[in-house]
Amino acid sequence: SVGTAWVSPQNDQLWGSTVAYWSLDLDSVLAPAGLTPAQLAARFTVSSEARSAAASFTCSELTGCSYARAATGTDWGGCVRQSFGNFSCGACGEGNPTRVQRATVRDSKINIGPLVMPGPPCKGSSSGWDSPEGQQMDMLTFAMSHRGVGGGGQ
């Protein structure tokens, strides 16, 4: 069957040599991330050289973790280092705060931690991202259920 060649707990040889495994399926998106919101936030600490809007995470046993930050007027992803260590950043006209409701995919190996989707640093020009809360993309936008495919989620 198709599933036997995949990296999975059922394939001992591949599973044993796998460092991290993120399966973009509904179960992994809705699962607890394996880290606390404080641990997730620590992984997203931005250096003092390029400051981003403060981010926060909230986690639920039923829906995984969400990511939120206020709308920004600065394109932090487009900053360029100038002389004397200063940065020059472009403008970002976000109309809405960022709220990725399902922002993590669990690492089934529990080694590296969850895959996190915070959205772009400036979503002003990305119409799919700069939408009102509840209409923004999240991991469910991209998740696929592999139930019923040989070896997966049965």
Side-chain angles (χ1 to χ4, degrees):
S1 76
V2 174
T4 57
W6 295 352
V7 174
S8 70
Q10 292 80 24
N11 186 333
D12 292 336
Q13 184 177 6
L14 284 174
W15 189 252
S17 62
T18 301
V19 176
Y21 182 74
W22 302 281
S23 177
L24 198 54
D25 61 33
L26 296 177
D27 292 335
S28 294
V29 169
L30 298 177
L35 295 175
T36 66
Q39 290 169 320
L40 285 168
R43 290 180 177 210
F44 277 84
T45 300
V46 178
S47 71
S48 60
E49 297 172 337
R51 300 190 192 282
S52 171
S56 65
F57 289 90
T58 55
C59 297
S60 160
E61 290 291 320
L62 299 176
T63 59
C65 295
S66 64
Y67 169 87
R69 69 165 174 79
T72 183
T74 303
D75 182 1
W76 298 106
C79 296
V80 177
R81 184 184 292 269
Q82 303 293 320
S83 60
F84 305 109
N86 295 323
F87 281 82
S88 172
C89 303
C92 177
E94 292 183 342
N96 297 287
T98 297
R99 174 120 171 106
V100 181
Q101 297 208 17
R102 285 157 293 272
T104 59
V105 175
R106 174 189 60 213
D107 172 11
S108 296
K109 290 291 288 193
I110 313 172
N111 287 329
I112 293 179
L115 180 67
V116 179
M117 183 170 117
C122 172
K123 59 186 174 33
S125 61
S126 303
S127 60
W129 281 104
D130 200 19
S131 302
E133 185 175 331
Q135 298 176 18
Q136 294 178 14
M137 293 184 280
D138 63 14
M139 285 294 195
L140 281 183
T141 307
F142 305 100
M144 303 173 137
S145 177
H146 67 282
R147 293 180 183 173
V149 177
Q154 296 177 1

mmCIF file of all heavy atoms in Angstrom, residues 47-67:
data_model
loop_
_atom_site.group_PDB
_atom_site.id
_atom_site.type_symbol
_atom_site.label_atom_id
_atom_site.label_comp_id
_atom_site.label_asym_id
_atom_site.label_seq_id
_atom_site.Cartn_x
_atom_site.Cartn_y
_atom_site.Cartn_z
ATOM 1 N N SER A 47 15.460 39.813 17.805
ATOM 2 C CA SER A 47 16.607 40.547 18.347
ATOM 3 C C SER A 47 16.281 42.026 18.457
ATOM 4 O O SER A 47 15.410 42.539 17.775
ATOM 5 C CB SER A 47 17.829 40.354 17.445
ATOM 6 O OG SER A 47 17.653 41.061 16.242
ATOM 7 N N SER A 48 17.019 42.724 19.301
ATOM 8 C CA SER A 48 16.778 44.150 19.508
ATOM 9 C C SER A 48 17.116 44.961 18.264
ATOM 10 O O SER A 48 16.750 46.116 18.155
ATOM 11 C CB SER A 48 17.583 44.651 20.701
ATOM 12 O OG SER A 48 18.968 44.442 20.453
ATOM 13 N N GLU A 49 17.815 44.348 17.298
ATOM 14 C CA GLU A 49 18.184 45.081 16.079
ATOM 15 C C GLU A 49 16.987 45.321 15.165
ATOM 16 O O GLU A 49 16.945 46.265 14.418
ATOM 17 C CB GLU A 49 19.267 44.315 15.321
ATOM 18 C CG GLU A 49 20.559 44.192 16.106
ATOM 19 C CD GLU A 49 21.554 43.272 15.429
ATOM 20 O OE1 GLU A 49 21.136 42.419 14.629
ATOM 21 O OE2 GLU A 49 22.749 43.405 15.700
ATOM 22 N N ALA A 50 16.030 44.433 15.187
ATOM 23 C CA ALA A 50 14.838 44.579 14.347
ATOM 24 C C ALA A 50 13.634 44.183 15.183
ATOM 25 O O ALA A 50 13.375 43.010 15.387
ATOM 26 C CB ALA A 50 14.952 43.704 13.100
ATOM 27 N N ARG A 51 12.928 45.156 15.698
ATOM 28 C CA ARG A 51 11.828 44.868 16.618
ATOM 29 C C ARG A 51 10.527 44.642 15.856
ATOM 30 O O ARG A 51 10.161 45.395 14.986
ATOM 31 C CB ARG A 51 11.649 46.008 17.604
ATOM 32 C CG ARG A 51 12.891 46.228 18.435
ATOM 33 C CD ARG A 51 12.609 47.194 19.579
ATOM 34 N NE ARG A 51 13.842 47.614 20.200
ATOM 35 C CZ ARG A 51 14.543 46.891 21.047
ATOM 36 N NH1 ARG A 51 14.152 45.698 21.354
ATOM 37 N NH2 ARG A 51 15.646 47.353 21.572
ATOM 38 N N SER A 52 9.837 43.612 16.240
ATOM 39 C CA SER A 52 8.556 43.271 15.649
ATOM 40 C C SER A 52 7.457 43.563 16.663
ATOM 41 O O SER A 52 7.720 43.722 17.849
ATOM 42 C CB SER A 52 8.556 41.791 15.278
ATOM 43 O OG SER A 52 7.289 41.368 14.898
ATOM 44 N N ALA A 53 6.234 43.605 16.194
ATOM 45 C CA ALA A 53 5.115 43.741 17.115
ATOM 46 C C ALA A 53 5.116 42.537 18.049
ATOM 47 O O ALA A 53 5.437 41.430 17.640
ATOM 48 C CB ALA A 53 3.812 43.801 16.323
ATOM 49 N N ALA A 54 4.803 42.766 19.306
ATOM 50 C CA ALA A 54 4.822 41.689 20.301
ATOM 51 C C ALA A 54 3.852 40.589 19.903
ATOM 52 O O ALA A 54 2.708 40.844 19.553
ATOM 53 C CB ALA A 54 4.466 42.250 21.666
ATOM 54 N N ALA A 55 4.335 39.370 19.957
ATOM 55 C CA ALA A 55 3.520 38.213 19.602
ATOM 56 C C ALA A 55 3.099 37.476 20.861
ATOM 57 O O ALA A 55 3.795 37.500 21.868
ATOM 58 C CB ALA A 55 4.318 37.278 18.701
ATOM 59 N N SER A 56 1.964 36.809 20.781
ATOM 60 C CA SER A 56 1.524 35.991 21.903
ATOM 61 C C SER A 56 0.937 34.689 21.375
ATOM 62 O O SER A 56 0.435 34.627 20.250
ATOM 63 C CB SER A 56 0.496 36.731 22.757
ATOM 64 O OG SER A 56 -0.688 36.949 22.011
ATOM 65 N N PHE A 57 1.035 33.663 22.182
ATOM 66 C CA PHE A 57 0.483 32.359 21.851
ATOM 67 C C PHE A 57 -0.502 31.955 22.935
ATOM 68 O O PHE A 57 -0.304 32.261 24.106
ATOM 69 C CB PHE A 57 1.591 31.299 21.797
ATOM 70 C CG PHE A 57 2.510 31.438 20.624
ATOM 71 C CD1 PHE A 57 3.648 32.222 20.710
ATOM 72 C CD2 PHE A 57 2.236 30.784 19.441
ATOM 73 C CE1 PHE A 57 4.506 32.352 19.630
ATOM 74 C CE2 PHE A 57 3.083 30.905 18.356
ATOM 75 C CZ PHE A 57 4.219 31.685 18.446
ATOM 76 N N THR A 58 -1.564 31.281 22.538
ATOM 77 C CA THR A 58 -2.471 30.633 23.474
ATOM 78 C C THR A 58 -2.660 29.208 22.985
ATOM 79 O O THR A 58 -2.673 28.961 21.777
ATOM 80 C CB THR A 58 -3.832 31.344 23.565
ATOM 81 O OG1 THR A 58 -4.389 31.433 22.261
ATOM 82 C CG2 THR A 58 -3.701 32.734 24.150
ATOM 83 N N CYS A 59 -2.762 28.271 23.912
ATOM 84 C CA CYS A 59 -2.877 26.863 23.537
ATOM 85 C C CYS A 59 -4.062 26.222 24.228
ATOM 86 O O CYS A 59 -4.409 26.572 25.357
ATOM 87 C CB CYS A 59 -1.601 26.106 23.907
ATOM 88 S SG CYS A 59 -0.144 26.696 23.021
ATOM 89 N N SER A 60 -4.664 25.274 23.527
ATOM 90 C CA SER A 60 -5.809 24.525 24.027
ATOM 91 C C SER A 60 -5.592 23.055 23.730
ATOM 92 O O SER A 60 -5.036 22.711 22.682
ATOM 93 C CB SER A 60 -7.085 25.019 23.334
ATOM 94 O OG SER A 60 -8.113 24.068 23.435
ATOM 95 N N GLU A 61 -6.032 22.209 24.610
ATOM 96 C CA GLU A 61 -5.922 20.758 24.386
ATOM 97 C C GLU A 61 -6.805 20.324 23.213
ATOM 98 O O GLU A 61 -6.559 19.296 22.601
ATOM 99 C CB GLU A 61 -6.330 19.995 25.650
ATOM 100 C CG GLU A 61 -5.347 20.134 26.791
ATOM 101 C CD GLU A 61 -4.018 19.427 26.515
ATOM 102 O OE1 GLU A 61 -4.032 18.327 25.945
ATOM 103 O OE2 GLU A 61 -2.974 19.990 26.856
ATOM 104 N N LEU A 62 -7.822 21.102 22.878
ATOM 105 C CA LEU A 62 -8.763 20.704 21.829
ATOM 106 C C LEU A 62 -8.446 21.272 20.456
ATOM 107 O O LEU A 62 -8.771 20.674 19.442
ATOM 108 C CB LEU A 62 -10.185 21.113 22.219
ATOM 109 C CG LEU A 62 -10.723 20.486 23.496
ATOM 110 C CD1 LEU A 62 -12.101 21.054 23.824
ATOM 111 C CD2 LEU A 62 -10.792 18.974 23.357
ATOM 112 N N THR A 63 -7.808 22.458 20.408
ATOM 113 C CA THR A 63 -7.616 23.111 19.109
ATOM 114 C C THR A 63 -6.169 23.483 18.809
ATOM 115 O O THR A 63 -5.907 24.214 17.861
ATOM 116 C CB THR A 63 -8.477 24.390 19.016
ATOM 117 O OG1 THR A 63 -8.093 25.278 20.064
ATOM 118 C CG2 THR A 63 -9.957 24.074 19.107
ATOM 119 N N GLY A 64 -5.214 22.997 19.599
ATOM 120 C CA GLY A 64 -3.819 23.344 19.353
ATOM 121 C C GLY A 64 -3.522 24.768 19.811
ATOM 122 O O GLY A 64 -4.154 25.271 20.725
ATOM 123 N N CYS A 65 -2.556 25.419 19.162
ATOM 124 C CA CYS A 65 -2.112 26.755 19.583
ATOM 125 C C CYS A 65 -2.446 27.805 18.532
ATOM 126 O O CYS A 65 -2.409 27.538 17.334
ATOM 127 C CB CYS A 65 -0.607 26.764 19.831
ATOM 128 S SG CYS A 65 -0.117 25.704 21.207
ATOM 129 N N SER A 66 -2.739 29.005 19.016
ATOM 130 C CA SER A 66 -2.976 30.137 18.117
ATOM 131 C C SER A 66 -1.889 31.177 18.345
ATOM 132 O O SER A 66 -1.250 31.217 19.392
ATOM 133 C CB SER A 66 -4.357 30.739 18.357
ATOM 134 O OG SER A 66 -4.445 31.275 19.663
ATOM 135 N N TYR A 67 -1.689 32.010 17.334
ATOM 136 C CA TYR A 67 -0.664 33.059 17.348
ATOM 137 C C TYR A 67 -1.360 34.385 17.096
ATOM 138 O O TYR A 67 -2.240 34.477 16.226
ATOM 139 C CB TYR A 67 0.352 32.782 16.240
ATOM 140 C CG TYR A 67 1.316 33.909 15.947
ATOM 141 C CD1 TYR A 67 2.499 34.028 16.658
ATOM 142 C CD2 TYR A 67 1.047 34.858 14.965
ATOM 143 C CE1 TYR A 67 3.400 35.057 16.391
ATOM 144 C CE2 TYR A 67 1.935 35.886 14.696
ATOM 145 C CZ TYR A 67 3.106 35.981 15.414
ATOM 146 O OH TYR A 67 3.995 36.994 15.155
#
